[in-house]
Amino acid sequence: YEGTPPRNVLSMQQIWPNGSWAEFNYSQIVNNEAFEPRSLTLPPAASMFKIRSAISGHGQEGEFIPRTHTINLNNSTNYSRQVWTECAANPIYPQGGTWVYDRAGWCPGAVVDTREYEITANVTPGQTINLDYSLPAASNTGDSRYRVNNQLVAYGPPNFTLDAAISYIKTPTNRVEYERLNPVCNQPVVAIRNTGATPLTSL
């Protein structure tokens, strides 16, 4: 992309998996045989930090049962979310099989859901932090398998004080993920974000 970014990326560290792609079952994760606690040192020259987290569930119970996945920071702060995606509005259709059924973090033909957690307020540059991945206690684990991809991103300070941006146009658009909402003959819908350091109060 041309131009000045909202903030400069200084580094990216892979958290889980640490190495090649892998898929692990429920008990392996709960028993810390996989996605075990990790210690990472934050770059001392960085100012802001973020965790990017993509999770998808597989197997009869892993794919079709919503569960709350948690990333714990320094045994004190939990970043939790229910990994569940509505698939009936999936733009990649029609398909054979079970494509209309909701799934854990993904839909057939669509990208895996990704969440981003800003952790700057809870860490200090140069600090060694501990991250632990966990699943809730459950009796119906069955065939529950999960694929995850998580990174720790370190940034410099914001490059702009007041800076609003349009992330994308939802309607009208030819973006494939909004195919079932288009064409549109009423008011357009856009997604915005704040890429500056100052909170937006009007737009």
Side-chain angles (χ1 to χ4, degrees):
Y1 295 98
E2 295 183 2
T4 304
R7 49 188 179 176
N8 296 331
V9 176
L10 301 185
S11 69
M12 288 185 68
Q13 299 180 67
Q14 187 70 22
I15 308 171
W16 305 285
N18 187 15
S20 59
W21 173 90
E23 179 179 276
F24 295 101
N25 63 40
Y26 190 96
S27 62
Q28 288 175 301
I29 298 170
V30 170
N31 294 324
N32 282 330
E33 297 171 26
F35 311 148
E36 68 279 6
R38 294 199 179 280
S39 294
L40 298 95
T41 301
L42 304 179
S47 301
M48 306 179 78
F49 306 91
K50 176 178 73 180
I51 294 173
R52 298 180 75 254
S53 175
I55 304 169
S56 63
H58 305 271
Q60 181 63 35
E61 285 73 22
E63 187 169 329
F64 297 108
I65 294 179
R67 302 190 197 279
T68 298
H69 295 237
T70 299
I71 296 175
N72 178 272
L73 170 64
N74 292 334
N75 298 314
S76 60
T77 305
N78 288 330
Y79 299 96
S80 300
R81 76 178 189 267
Q82 186 181 68
V83 177
W84 197 240
T85 305
E86 179 186 344
C87 291
N90 185 2
I92 313 301
Y93 77 100
Q95 302 180 57
T98 60
W99 72 274
V100 296
Y101 296 112
D102 299 343
R103 283 174 165 79
W106 65 285
C107 296
V111 298
V112 173
D113 292 344
T114 300
R115 295 288 180 88
E116 298 186 342
Y117 304 110
E118 295 285 344
I119 66 171
T120 303
N122 298 307
V123 298
T124 304
Q127 175 187 6
T128 297
I129 63 171
N130 180 266
L131 296 171
D132 189 14
Y133 187 106
S134 63
L135 286 165
S139 58
N140 58 338
T141 58
D143 182 14
S144 299
R145 291 171 278 118
Y146 296 95
R147 304 171 188 175
V148 309
N149 193 10
N150 295 268
Q151 297 91 29
L152 173 67
V153 188
Y155 297 92
N159 288 322
F160 303 99
T161 302
L162 186 61
D163 189 49
I166 294 179
S167 296
Y168 56 85
I169 300 173
K170 191 171 184 178
T171 57
T173 185
N174 58 3
R175 285 174 62 130
V176 67
E177 61 265 47
Y178 302 118
E179 222 170 51
R180 300 186 74 173
L181 304 176
N182 287 276
V184 66
C185 297
N186 54 4
Q187 294 181 341
V189 177
V190 302
I192 66 163
R193 62 178 177 147
N194 181 9
T195 56
T198 302
L200 297 177
T201 56
S202 63
L203 189 68

